[in-house]
Amino acid sequence: MKSQQLRKLAPELDSLRLGSGWKIDELSKPQIIVESSYGHSHPGSAHLDKLVDEAGIGIKEKGGRAANYFVTDICDGEAQGHDGMNYSLVSRDIMAAMMEIHVKATPFDAGVFIASCDKSVPAHLMAIARLDMPAIFMPGGIMKAGPNLLTLEQIGTYSAQYERKEITEEQFMVYKRDACPDCGACSFMGTASTMQVMAEALGIALPGSALIPAHLPELKETARKAGEHALGLAKEELKPSDIMTVHAAIAGSSNSLLHLPAIAHELGIQLSPDLFDKIHRKIPYLLNIRPSGFWPGEYFWYAGGVPAIMEEIKEFLHLDVMTVTGKTLEENLKDLQLNGFYKNCHKYLPALGVKVGDIIKPLHTPIKAQGAIAILKGNLAPEGAVVKHSAISPRLMQVTLKARVFDCEENAIEAVLQKKIHPGEAVFIRYEGPKGSGMPEMFYTTEAIASDPELVETIALITDGRFSGATRGPAIGHVSPEASEGGPIALVENDDLIRIDIPARTLDIIGTDSIERSVEEIEKILSERRAHWIKPESQYKKGILDIYTHNSVSPMKGAYMEFFM
């Protein structure tokens, strides 16, 4: 094995291992790195030390020696509302790079990678793909809902209500107190939950392991199994490139369109945004989980989790693909039918008064006939833009709106909360793309709109930034090319007419000064505006955001840094 070969090249290695607490007989065993985002940064990572311990037990029981390494993550929720959010997306790339350093600098035969949340899961998957070593991903699970099924994404709504004096400070504090009752990913189908699902769908996590409620014993049991399984991967030399070669049915986060292309890039694969659109046109939306659906995220696993969704959309899947179990997807699904997996999941439903069909709809009676995501293109977004149309009112599926332009989110949210935005307007927030400010989320602005009954069905938010996985309402993001690169979004002016046609997948500037113009007139006007456009000076002169904003690629490609490639 690799670890034994490198022991011969680095004679100090044994001494340093022994000084770290290893025993003599452990030096000759398979050496397994256990990477995790454990830390006291937020509920999605604070409990991962327990899963690290369980994975280590599994490794030891199968004759290996575990070594625990940590790269903790920040929390998008804690970064909301201030410039900390600018550091969110770049943290994904830095975490992946740190894990690469850990593995490349020290000899290991396989790895167990453990994470729960928005940037840590894609970071671990990018590292797994980049390293291409025998590896298994262990999802960190999901938190349970609070009283009255309260979940964290609702806090944005209550915050907007408090700002508008619709609820008292005391009421608001009760909601904040109860929104996160334990550890795990936030209990809705946001980015964290979506990426746990993607890890299992990609075949790099054990079947049924995504989104196990963190308070259940099954989560620790699965972590131990993951540790045990790592030994088999090391011996068989089964690599991620043999495996990582479902999104529509779950109404997953639009941020996955940033993360999946970035993961694919590590494998030398280019994922086109048009492919995502094609898949979402074909696969129906089945999962009745927040924010697009009704139930909290923990209910997904009780209904059978990822395998149950796969059973419903089986006719669309490549069942012969290899997975981390060493078996095909079809073999894994058959095993789950026989080993009591579904019976074990479903045993929690009676106490909740919920049935499987309330959570996962059958393929022939879906929530919607198409998936949740659409890629829009047009003269406003030549490379594309992303919309989660499962969360949009039918009234906004085909609409013409008047532009209200803001060059930062702070000014936009103030205008929304102070009732300065009116029905029939398209709120633009620009210079918030990867090269602009690091591509922060626009969560508070979308929640302020979604919680306003007058605006939620009458306006849209359009940005070159991105949205939280918790976002609901009329939001179009990832507009590319971004404003900082001189994309058409930089040229939009107040009172331009914006045509949104989600069924036709188009996003266009069709008029100026509130008057519709011909295509030729619009082209001439935009050309004249472009001639006078001046690229803003970067706000970052040092540090990681200076590096990121100079080296990130388009959101349509994954917003990763080519600096590292």
Side-chain angles (χ1 to χ4, degrees), residues 302-319:
Y302 301 146
V306 175
I309 286 285
M310 287 181 165
E311 289 287 355
E312 287 295 337
I313 63 171
K314 188 184 290 187
E315 66 187 76
F316 300 106
L317 302 178
H318 293 284
L319 298 174

Side-chain angles (χ1 to χ4, degrees), residues 68-84:
N68 301 337
Y69 283 62
F70 306 95
V71 185
T72 198
D73 55 340
I74 65 167
C75 174
D76 282 19
E78 294 180 14
Q80 292 284 359
H82 56 90
D83 286 345

Side-chain angles (χ1 to χ4, degrees), residues 152-299:
L152 186 67
E153 88 285 0
Q154 296 173 310
I155 295 299
T157 295
Y158 293 130
S159 176
Q161 291 177 352
Y162 173 65
E163 292 291 334
R164 294 193 296 258
K165 312 299 183 186
E166 296 170 3
I167 60 174
T168 66
E169 183 176 4
E170 290 75 19
Q171 287 174 307
F172 189 30
M173 274 306 304
V174 170
Y175 291 133
K176 289 197 287 186
R177 180 195 69 195
D178 293 342
C180 294
D182 65 356
C183 288
C186 295
S187 197
F188 53 87
M189 194 54 68
T191 306
S193 296
T194 299
M195 293 311 299
Q196 287 194 39
V197 169
M198 289 298 103
E200 185 175 335
L202 288 169
I204 204 68
L206 290 175
S209 62
L211 300 182
I212 300 174
H215 65 283
L216 295 184
E218 285 88 343
L219 187 62
K220 288 184 179 180
E221 293 166 6
T222 305
R224 185 175 297 198
K225 290 177 183 176
E228 295 172 354
H229 199 73
L231 271 295
L233 294 173
K235 293 172 183 176
E236 297 166 12
E237 296 189 351
L238 184 62
K239 298 180 179 180
S241 57
D242 302 319
I243 298 168
M244 298 169 72
T245 46
V246 157
H247 186 257
I250 64 169
S253 166
S254 60
N255 284 316
S256 63
L257 275 76
L258 292 169
H259 302 318
L260 291 175
I263 296 164
H265 175 71
E266 300 293 347
L267 294 165
I269 300 169
Q270 183 176 349
L271 284 185
S272 163
D274 294 333
L275 176 61
F276 287 98
D277 191 77
K278 181 180 178 181
I279 291 171
H280 279 262
R281 283 180 182 270
K282 190 175 182 179
I283 308 297
Y285 160 35
L286 306 178
L287 186 61
N288 190 20
I289 293 291
R290 300 172 183 173
S292 295
F294 179 78
W295 301 106
E298 65 173 306
Y299 284 33

